[in-house]
Amino acid sequence: MKASRDLLKEAFNLTRSRFPALAATTLSLEDPSHPVIAERIKYIYDNTVFGGKHSRARLALDTYDAIKPTSDPDQRLLVAQTAVAIEMLQAYFLVLDDIVDGSETRRGQPCWFRRPDVGITAINDALLLEVFMDEVIIDALKNHPNLSRIHDAFRKSKRTTVVGQNLDSHLERNFDAFTWERYEAMVLHKTADYTIWLPTQLGVLAADACFDMEMAKNLCYRTGFLFQAQDDFLDVYGEPKVTGKVGTDIQEGKCTWLSVRAMQLLDKKPNGRREFENLYGKSEPPTVEAIRDIYGSLKLKDEFERFECTYSKELITDLEKFSFAPVRTVLLELLNRIIGRKK
């Protein structure tokens, strides 16, 4: 069996060749715009879909392989191509999210919309990724018995994530809503669904397996919660050369694991919240440093390390009780990879 990494590389290249052809089908081959659109799409694909960790595609393929370890190589390649569609979805969300957040860098490079030859046309580029992602899925799995269910899983995940993005924006500097309940709702919608649950669903549906999906969804969502909490931590304490981006959560007044825990601890201090609320969500370097100082005085780095340790131990215990061995194994391996991650 070809290694997952090698198969995904092949799938990415195949999709790169198929995506422009699919997207240019609205134009005749004689139309002078045909090669222009095809080259533009390759340029978008190379610079937004390529370059990440591709952890979502890997999770989908690993799940499929765990359930069907002796599957037909051709079918496995088609599943890998469908897994690439999740990375197209990821690229779509990131391009738009960077515009909304006014971010500077992504994966160690200027954000797509920051490039001089792109600018605000990045919005249309993101839409190209989104609308033709469906075509990639249908093209790969047109003869699969679960095509409609897989397509529906993508549709629902897109809807859920867009709601999560709206929750994220609504919570900015909305200090009364900086609660664990509101934070969890935002994280499960914005991150956990398409980062952990959708890839797992794809692997299961592609393998045509049947088991307790609700329990699997709960475990995926909890894993996604940890993943987002880590992202929040790395936004402030991560090394940009390692994470590939400069954190902006403090400047944007984001509802994050750190800001919610800070508010919780500051409630116990006289006028603690007032100082935090006056500073949080402002972009001037002295105010950003002042928030970092508050985080330091609250020992939030230590707080987070304790949380990560306790939360991951509880999650491992519950994963080990999960009855469907293939998915249990894959999620445990994923969890062990992300515990203590630096990027």
Side-chain angles (χ1 to χ4, degrees):
M1 180 186 290
K2 183 177 287 190
S4 296
R5 188 180 299 275
D6 294 336
L7 187 66
L8 284 172
K9 183 177 180 180
E10 182 180 352
F12 271 101
N13 288 328
L14 282 171
T15 304
R16 183 185 184 274
S17 64
R18 290 291 295 132
F19 178 31
L22 290 168
T25 52
T26 56
L27 301 168
S28 69
L29 291 174
E30 294 75 26
D31 192 316
S33 297
H34 190 284
V36 175
I37 289 293
E39 285 305 309
R40 177 66 180 181
I41 287 169
K42 284 182 182 178
Y43 184 52
I44 297 166
Y45 186 88
D46 289 348
N47 289 278
T48 63
V49 181
F50 277 138
K53 298 186 290 291
H54 302 150
S55 57
R56 292 162 182 83
R58 179 181 172 185
L59 175 56
L61 186 58
D62 284 351
T63 302
Y64 176 80
D65 285 343
I67 299 170
K68 299 192 77 171
T70 58
S71 65
D72 174 72
D74 291 339
Q75 182 61 34
R76 188 167 175 252
L77 178 58
L78 293 175
V79 173
Q81 288 176 252
T82 311
V84 171
I86 302 181
E87 298 300 333
M88 293 175 65
L89 179 64
Q90 159 79 340
Y92 160 70
F93 285 135
L94 291 184
V95 169
L96 295 181
D97 196 45
D98 285 343
I99 296 171
V100 172
D101 291 345
S103 300
E104 295 291 336
T105 59
R106 172 72 64 180
R107 298 169 179 166
Q109 300 293 326
C111 292
W112 184 241
F113 81 99
R114 294 284 186 190
R115 301 192 183 197
D117 59 337
V118 178
I120 205 66
T121 60
I123 295 173
N124 194 59
D125 294 341
L127 292 173
L128 279 170
L129 288 169
E130 195 273 333
V131 296
F132 288 104
M133 179 185 63
D134 292 343
E135 302 299 326
V136 169
I137 297 167
I138 294 168
D139 186 57
L141 297 181
K142 50 183 171 288
N143 297 318
H144 196 284
N146 283 335
L147 172 60
S148 63
R149 294 178 68 191
I150 290 169
H151 193 265
D152 196 48
F154 272 84
R155 180 186 62 81
K156 288 179 179 177
S157 192
K158 280 189 283 185
R159 181 184 64 192
T160 298
T161 307
V162 169
V163 170
Q165 296 283 17
N166 275 271
L167 289 172
D168 184 29
S169 298
H170 175 71
L171 288 171
E172 289 178 8
R173 285 188 55 80
N174 186 1
F175 297 115
D176 288 338
F178 278 27
T179 66
W180 290 120
E181 182 181 10
R182 298 288 290 275
Y183 174 72
E184 181 176 10
M186 182 264 291
V187 167
L188 298 189
H189 282 77
K190 173 190 169 185
T191 303
D193 195 274
Y194 91 100
T195 299
I196 313 294
W197 176 229
L198 176 61
T200 303
Q201 267 189 295
L202 172 56
V204 170
L205 291 171
D208 202 17
C210 183
F211 62 96
D212 186 353
M213 294 286 274
E214 279 305 309
M215 175 62 77
K217 182 177 182 179
N218 175 267
L219 293 167
C220 288
Y221 271 23
R222 289 168 62 190
T223 305
F225 181 89
L226 174 62
F227 186 87
Q228 180 60 54
Q230 291 170 325
D231 265 5
D232 294 346
F233 178 82
L234 292 172
D235 189 89
V236 175
Y237 292 111
E239 173 55 53
K241 289 182 180 179
V242 177
T243 63
K245 67 176 195 173
V246 177
T248 57
D249 285 353
I250 292 174
Q251 295 92 318
E252 294 163 25
K254 293 282 189 178
C255 177
T256 69
W257 190 97
L258 293 171
S259 62
V260 172
R261 182 59 178 149
M263 293 284 281
Q264 191 177 39
L265 294 171
L266 290 169
D267 271 336
K268 302 172 184 177
K269 298 178 179 288
N271 299 319
R273 280 187 55 155
R274 183 182 303 171
E275 180 186 8
F276 182 85
E277 291 176 7
N278 285 337
L279 296 168
Y280 195 68
K282 296 179 180 178
S283 59
E284 297 82 1
T287 60
V288 174
E289 281 306 308
I291 291 295
R292 287 178 173 272
D293 289 342
I294 291 173
Y295 284 174
S297 69
L298 296 172
K299 297 183 172 20
L300 287 192
K301 286 185 76 171
D302 295 337
E303 286 268 342
F304 183 81
E305 287 172 2
R306 285 194 294 271
F307 155 77
E308 184 180 42
C309 180
T310 302
Y311 190 92
S312 59
K313 283 181 178 178
E314 292 174 354
L315 184 50
I316 287 171
T317 298
D318 289 342
L319 277 167
E320 288 175 340
K321 296 175 185 175
F322 186 53
S323 60
F324 192 59
V327 171
R328 179 179 68 233
T329 300
V330 171
L331 290 179
L332 280 169
E333 289 174 351
L334 170 65
L335 184 55
N336 285 319
R337 284 200 305 271
I338 68 172
I339 291 172
R341 68 186 178 95
K342 304 300 180 184
K343 61 179 181 178

